[in-house]
Amino acid sequence: MRGIYVLPFAVAALSVAACQPNATETTDGETPAPAGEQALEGAEQTSEMPMGPRTLFTDAEQRMHEGMMAVSAGDAAEVWARKMVAHHQGALDMSQIVLDETDDPEIRAMAERTIEMQRQDIAELERWISEQSS
């Protein structure tokens, strides 16, 4: 019997969604930018991260976000590599917080593996970045 009441809401939601512009459509008739450029077009780059509830990880998340947003110069490969260093550092920081805050053996093992893998990835990325600037 509940399906009878849910159906009108589902139809209404689909109707509203169908009226929204497609990601590849523009309202001014211009050809949209390629996918990689859409996010940057007209967007002001900022290091401000939307704030949700504060957690043990908030400061690490903010540092990671700021580090990633600070990278803007270079070709796609270099920008990606530099952003990934900041991203992996965020994973290291959050994993260390877990090691400091929990005794759960399964989570601790995952955090320790994450630290090991992320350190290796950072070293590989930094090596590549260094070779590009040589």
Side-chain angles (χ1 to χ4, degrees), residues 70-75 78-79 82:
V71 179
S72 61
D75 65 10
E78 182 178 356
V79 170
R82 291 181 184 280

Side-chain angles (χ1 to χ4, degrees), residues 15-91:
S15 297
V16 169
C19 294
Q20 300 300 317
N22 184 312
T24 60
E25 296 174 355
T26 62
T27 56
D28 59 6
E30 291 183 15
T31 304
E37 296 174 20
Q38 284 178 342
L40 298 177
E41 187 177 312
E44 181 180 327
Q45 296 241 345
T46 177
S47 64
E48 292 182 29
M49 186 174 83
M51 293 303 292
R54 186 156 181 79
T55 71
L56 292 172
F57 302 100
T58 301
D59 291 340
E61 292 168 328
Q62 183 67 35
R63 282 190 307 273
M64 178 182 70
H65 178 74
E66 289 171 358
M68 291 178 70
M69 293 303 294
V71 179
S72 61
D75 65 10
E78 182 178 356
V79 170
W80 175 83
R82 291 181 184 280
K83 286 181 181 280
M84 290 307 293
V85 168
H87 185 265
H88 289 326
Q89 183 61 52

Side-chain angles (χ1 to χ4, degrees), residues 98-99 101-110:
V98 164
L99 291 177
E101 298 293 330
T102 188
D103 293 327
D104 184 295
E106 188 174 1
I107 292 296
R108 290 183 64 81
M110 284 188 266

